[in-house]
Amino acid sequence: MSFRYGVEQERDWNALTDEEFRAIVRAEFEANYPTELRYAPRRLRWHETKDWYLRMAAKGWIAPNWPVEYGGMGLSPAKLLIFHEETERWGIGRYQDHGTLMLGPVLIRWGTEEQRRKYLPDVLACRSIWCQGYSEPGAGSDLASLGTRVVLDGDEFVITGQKIWTTLAQDATHMFLLARTDPGAKKQEGISFLLLDLAQKGVRVRPIRDIAGHEEFCEVFLDEARTHVSNLVGELNRGWTVAKSLLGFERIHIGSPRMPEYGLTVLKRVAEARGVWDDPLFRDKYFALALDVQHLADAYNHFTAIVIRGEPLGQDVSYLKIWATETFQRIADLTVETAGPFAAVKGDVRLNDTTVNVLASFYKARPPTIYGGTNEIQRNILAQQVLGLPRR
Amino acid sequence: MSAAASTPHVSAEPETLALLRHSVAGLARFDGQRIRAWRDRSPGFDRALWREMASQGWFAIPVPETEGGLALGIEAAAIVAEQLGRACLPEPYVMAGFLGPMLLAQSTNEAARRELLPDVLSGETVLAPAWQSADGGISPSTPGVFARPDADGFVLSGESRFVVPAEADIYLALAHDGDGLLVAAVERRDVRMLRQEPGPDGVSTAWLGFQDLRVPKSRLLMSGEAVAARVQAALDHAVIVQSAELCGLMQRALEMTLDYLRTRRQFGAPIGSFQALQHRAVDLFIQQELARHATGTAVRAAANATDCRVLSRAASSAKARAAHAALLIATQSIQLHGAIGFTDEYDLGLYVNRIVRLAASFGNAAEHRRRFAAASAET
């Protein structure tokens, strides 16, 4: 009778105990996720992750964070955390998941019934892949100064401008973006949140090769790209509010200790292979980092407990991102130092009895201090909004 | 078998803990004049205030109810210590109000326990654990005092150092008897004070000499196989509670610094509006939060620990962070204040000096990082 967004959930996950739920998720991941894709040293492309995520879609597990009535798993904060923990524990590679991570929650909160029915089923079935068009060449940390222009032509918005650092846009079919709909208004005031089909002649995607040799982000050139006015989400010129509302639960994941924990295990393997694992100088450095990770986990557990209680997170959660990402960098840097000449070899390195990708952590550790609001911006926010220091 | 489980533990209700925090904060108020007045003066703290603290029941926290205690567990002790830290009190709560009563309450000598505990809990008798050797090692397995058997007890000889409070009424002397450890209660008049060493916070420590000191069986508090693990567990509890005191100290030091950044004006603006200083303040805040959560985790581990290695690892984790964070906040607070932060008349210095002292005692950050490493290898 009611509209069906995705496949039916096989059970009420929240009725299970945490342990039962964890066991089910773990068993599925361990049995079916391709071993060769575990802990990939880079973001995987859609042709690599496709089989896995189509399986997740068929199981109804593609959107663990969405309510059941919209085709998600409808997990409680505690169960959702377990799902993420198991995903990270097994080293499962992400696809371009902005459709489930960002677009779904946005449309469920701000979208029209028509928008939800049009877009959500395709996201759930992986028929559409969404990317996020926020940053521009002239609008990075100062995102509100973005200049992509929109003019109305009949019942269509005509969009011209350039987006950049768009993650895996070459795999995407659609983009949600912020663009300026009122050039006269100040900064945040004239920005709208729009949905755009990328398969049109006004759109050109150019992958950007990074220093690790990967192509994980792109430039997207919009030259009179067109979208129907019904693809405006929320009110006209209120896109900033829509975009900002996403910064809730997701903020905690970027502060998860799993990545630095994994970095430590790689560092340990490198140290053992290099014969310095028992060297007191090395151990001092290693265990200082191990404590940095331990205390990240202690703080992370504090914040997850707040989430599980269903309480809102304060602005102070931003420090988790700073500490997690900078700790991972220190681990990566010590890995390079410990590897000695082996850090001059790219990719998998034969290192005595073991094979390690020495530089994987080094490269993987660079973007997180920049994306999601640079750590410098995070420090500004903490200083002014948590510590109460005056603005300039 | 677990040593850690032998320590009394009852988890207090959240409401009880909130009330406790409130009442400690009410009694323990920062008083710079009082702190300065007691510096480098015998006995270095206020015995009248000590009795008042006792009357609040704080020293009874680690003592079982059967011994007249409150058995509130380490959560409560950590709250007391944190609030005392915020007020920068020189009173030796962790040593004489927590570790001392905890060790005494665990004595297998019932007569001695019955005789000594009531006066300790009332604040009349002040205890000082004398567990550390003159070389300052943080393991209790090698105390500087040796015990040899004697007709009616033991004869102690050797030295104990870094004893707080220096002028206690009774020292709880840790000694090695060749097979294992023992703890004896020794009156101040029977021990030789080799030296009182002044501390940066104005509180001195005792360097004690035991010269063929006869200790009757009646003053032997515990001996035998279980003592080593029991003393280690008690010290680990004390390290965690001391980390909580450091948390209180660093919180206040950072608050003072943030206040200063908000109000001090140069170049026509509050200096706290400068981004370079804002970012440094945030880095100090992060360290403060890590210390808080590391200590909180250790408190919970101690409350639930059934394995002594887990307890030791958690204690070292907390102290390694708390000592590092507190010293960083102390030294950076001086820099962010500028010259005024280095003057004795400005209150920040009292916090700095207290932090320097507590960061160094019971093992500093580097020592606890090494102990954490060793414990991590075992577990």
Side-chain angles (χ1 to χ4, degrees):
Chain A
M1 203 185 83
S2 69
F3 185 82
R4 177 166 294 291
Y5 284 90
V7 300
E8 202 170 344
Q9 293 299 308
E10 58 188 273
R11 62 206 298 176
D12 175 6
W13 304 110
N14 295 325
L16 301 173
T17 66
D18 287 356
E19 291 69 30
E20 288 164 347
F21 178 67
R22 190 185 294 278
I24 290 171
V25 174
R26 185 173 291 188
E28 163 65 24
F29 290 177
E30 293 188 358
N32 297 305
Y33 186 73
T35 311
E36 66 276 14
L37 296 182
R38 290 187 64 203
Y39 294 108
R42 56 176 173 81
R43 281 295 290 265
L44 298 170
R45 295 291 305 277
W46 179 237
H47 65 84
E48 297 166 294
T49 53
K50 191 176 167 198
D51 289 348
W52 170 252
Y53 283 102
L54 287 177
R55 179 186 170 85
M56 289 291 99
K59 274 182 79 68
W61 284 25
I62 197 78
N65 55 330
W66 296 11
V68 172
E69 63 263 39
Y70 291 108
M73 291 175 84
L75 299 182
S76 67
K79 295 283 191 304
L80 187 54
L81 218 51
I82 290 171
F83 193 90
H84 282 294
E85 279 170 8
E86 291 303 312
T87 303
E88 289 188 315
R89 174 187 165 272
W90 202 241
I92 292 177
R94 286 170 65 185
Y95 70 120
Q96 176 36 301
D97 52 8
H98 277 93
T100 51
L101 216 55
M102 315 278 280
L103 183 74
V106 159
L107 290 188
I108 289 166
R109 170 150 179 207
W110 300 93
T112 62
E113 186 66 18
E114 185 201 345
Q115 287 169 340
R116 288 195 281 262
R117 289 185 177 200
K118 179 173 178 191
Y119 290 115
L120 297 190
D122 284 352
V123 170
L124 288 166
C126 295
R127 281 188 299 269
S128 64
I129 301 287
W130 288 76
C131 62
Q132 169 186 287
Y134 284 6
S135 295
E136 297 180 4
S141 288
D142 184 12
L143 183 61
S145 68
L146 60 86
T148 293
R149 302 187 313 276
V150 180
V151 289
L152 190 62
D153 178 20
D155 59 359
E156 283 186 326
F157 291 119
V158 182
I159 310 166
T160 301
Q162 186 187 345
K163 293 294 175 181
I164 196 167
W165 319 129
T166 315
T167 301
L168 297 179
Q170 66 272 59
D171 283 345
T173 59
H174 292 74
M175 173 191 266
F176 56 89
L177 72 153
L178 293 175
R180 195 159 295 284
T181 37
D182 181 357
K186 269 199 201 160
K187 282 241 164 174
Q188 286 96 328
E189 319 250 311
I191 292 171
S192 294
F193 192 104
L194 303 174
L195 310 177
L196 181 71
D197 189 336
L198 294 177
Q200 56 174 295
K201 75 173 179 25
V203 176
R204 190 163 64 87
V205 174
R206 186 183 81 88
I208 300 170
R209 188 180 162 92
D210 65 30
I211 59 168
H214 306 136
E215 294 181 346
E216 297 181 8
F217 38 65
C218 300
E219 283 179 292
V220 180
F221 299 93
L222 305 170
D223 182 13
E224 299 191 349
R226 290 178 169 263
T227 197
H228 192 264
V229 287
S230 63
N231 287 316
L232 168 72
V233 180
E235 287 176 51
L236 192 70
N237 299 330
R238 290 287 171 270
W240 193 256
T241 313
V242 175
K244 257 185 88 171
S245 69
L246 283 177
L247 303 169
F249 189 67
E250 284 69 30
R251 282 197 301 176
I252 200 168
H253 293 306
I254 200 164
S256 158
R258 299 303 160 249
M259 187 73 91
E261 278 168 1
Y262 180 67
L264 276 180
T265 66
V266 173
L267 172 56
K268 185 180 178 193
R269 281 176 58 210
V270 170
E272 284 170 340
R274 292 278 286 152
V276 296
W277 176 242
D278 292 320
D279 173 55
L281 273 177
F282 174 81
R283 288 181 81 81
D284 273 0
K285 292 183 193 171
Y286 178 89
F287 280 100
L289 290 170
L291 280 163
D292 287 345
V293 177
Q294 173 70 55
H295 299 153
L296 169 66
D298 293 340
Y300 177 77
N301 291 338
H302 160 78
F303 285 105
T304 55
I306 293 174
V307 170
I308 288 168
R309 287 198 299 271
E311 294 166 14
L313 289 168
Q315 288 279 14
D316 58 337
V317 73
S318 292
Y319 83 76
L320 272 191
K321 191 238 178 189
I322 296 176
W323 191 250
T325 56
E326 293 178 9
T327 296
F328 185 38
Q329 286 189 344
R330 290 194 296 277
I331 292 168
D333 296 347
L334 183 59
T335 306
V336 166
E337 180 185 298
T338 306
F342 298 93
V345 183
K346 198 171 130 180
D348 284 340
V349 188
R350 184 102 191 105
L351 220 165
N352 294 324
D353 295 336
T354 187
T355 300
V356 195
N357 188 332
V358 171
L359 289 174
S361 295
F362 176 81
Y363 290 118
K364 229 178 166 162
R366 301 302 130 188
T369 53
I370 300 168
Y371 65 56
T374 65
N375 286 19
E376 287 69 28
I377 291 291
Q378 304 292 345
R379 282 185 168 88
N380 290 351
I381 293 171
L382 283 163
Q384 289 159 18
Q385 301 190 19
V386 177
L387 303 186
L389 293 177
R391 285 171 185 279
R392 190 79 171 108
Chain B
M1 266 310 292
S2 88
S6 67
T7 50
H9 164 242
V10 179
S11 260
E13 298 293 322
E15 301 78 41
T16 311
L17 296 177
L19 275 173
L20 179 67
R21 178 177 287 115
H22 188 73
S23 77
V24 181
L27 184 73
R29 294 190 182 277
F30 174 79
D31 182 348
Q33 225 179 345
R34 186 185 80 89
I35 297 170
R36 289 185 178 86
W38 276 112
R39 287 190 303 193
D40 304 319
R41 239 184 76 197
S42 175
F45 66 98
D46 183 355
R47 283 235 180 199
L49 179 60
W50 189 254
R51 281 189 292 271
E52 210 178 323
M53 291 164 72
S55 72
Q56 301 289 314
W58 299 346
F59 308 158
I61 287 170
V63 177
E65 283 168 309
T66 50
E67 304 294 324
L70 294 173
L72 276 178
I74 189 168
E75 296 100 325
I79 283 170
V80 172
E82 184 180 11
Q83 294 302 318
L84 298 183
R86 286 186 65 85
C88 200
L89 254 59
E91 277 67 26
Y93 168 70
V94 176
M95 292 289 194
F98 179 74
L99 178 58
M102 184 184 222
L103 278 173
L104 183 55
Q106 290 181 28
S107 169
T108 46
N109 180 340
E110 195 184 337
R113 223 165 56 215
R114 290 279 140 94
E115 181 199 334
L116 297 172
L117 251 180
D119 284 349
V120 169
L121 298 187
S122 73
E124 286 308 313
T125 298
V126 176
L127 296 177
W131 63 276
Q132 208 165 8
S133 65
D135 66 10
I138 60 168
S139 167
S141 61
T142 52
V145 181
F146 193 77
R148 64 171 195 279
D150 171 78
D152 180 39
F154 286 89
V155 177
L156 301 182
S157 52
E159 293 174 6
S160 187
R161 200 171 164 187
F162 311 111
V163 180
V164 176
E167 295 174 38
D169 302 309
I170 288 175
Y171 298 106
L172 302 180
L174 182 68
H176 206 282
D177 68 2
D179 293 328
L181 298 176
L182 59 81
V183 178
V186 181
E187 308 268 336
R188 178 161 64 182
R189 62 168 180 272
D190 296 330
V191 188
R192 227 181 112 204
M193 180 75 73
L194 297 177
R195 191 176 295 173
Q196 277 204 39
E197 299 180 287
D201 56 349
V203 177
S204 61
T205 60
W207 189 343
L208 302 176
F210 299 82
Q211 289 179 313
D212 295 326
L213 176 66
R214 301 179 71 94
V215 178
K217 273 213 175 77
S218 61
R219 285 297 162 126
L220 182 65
L221 297 181
M222 56 181 93
S223 64
E225 230 176 285
V227 175
R230 193 173 296 167
V231 170
Q232 181 64 69
L235 285 173
D236 284 331
H237 277 77
V239 165
I240 295 168
V241 176
Q242 193 205 38
S243 300
E245 186 173 0
L246 279 165
C247 285
L249 284 156
M250 74 177 91
Q251 285 161 21
R252 246 334 266 154
L254 183 56
E255 283 168 15
M256 291 169 78
T257 302
L258 292 173
D259 278 343
Y260 190 81
L261 292 174
R262 283 189 281 260
T263 49
R264 167 74 173 167
R265 294 179 70 88
Q266 288 287 274
F267 306 106
I271 60 171
S273 66
F274 303 141
Q275 194 183 36
L277 303 193
Q278 289 191 346
H279 286 195
R280 283 166 66 177
V282 168
D283 288 338
L284 299 182
F285 169 74
I286 293 174
Q287 288 293 327
Q288 171 198 281
E289 292 301 290
L290 295 173
R292 184 160 77 89
H293 295 304
T295 302
T297 301
V299 164
R300 283 186 295 279
N304 301 314
T306 49
D307 181 323
C308 56
R309 277 169 308 186
V310 171
L311 173 64
S312 288
R313 190 169 177 274
S316 282
S317 169
K319 181 68 196 282
R321 177 62 57 188
H324 169 77
L327 273 176
L328 189 74
I329 287 172
T331 51
Q332 287 291 298
S333 288
I334 296 173
Q335 180 66 22
L336 290 169
H337 273 84
I340 188 75
F342 197 60
T343 63
D344 185 49
E345 66 189 273
Y346 194 76
D347 291 338
L348 177 70
L350 299 173
Y351 282 85
V352 172
N353 283 331
R354 184 76 180 157
I355 284 170
V356 169
R357 180 219 185 70
L358 293 186
S361 44
F362 268 132
N364 67 13
E367 288 169 301
H368 279 287
R369 279 197 295 268
R370 282 195 286 276
R371 206 176 74 125
F372 176 85
S376 297
E378 286 168 25
T379 47

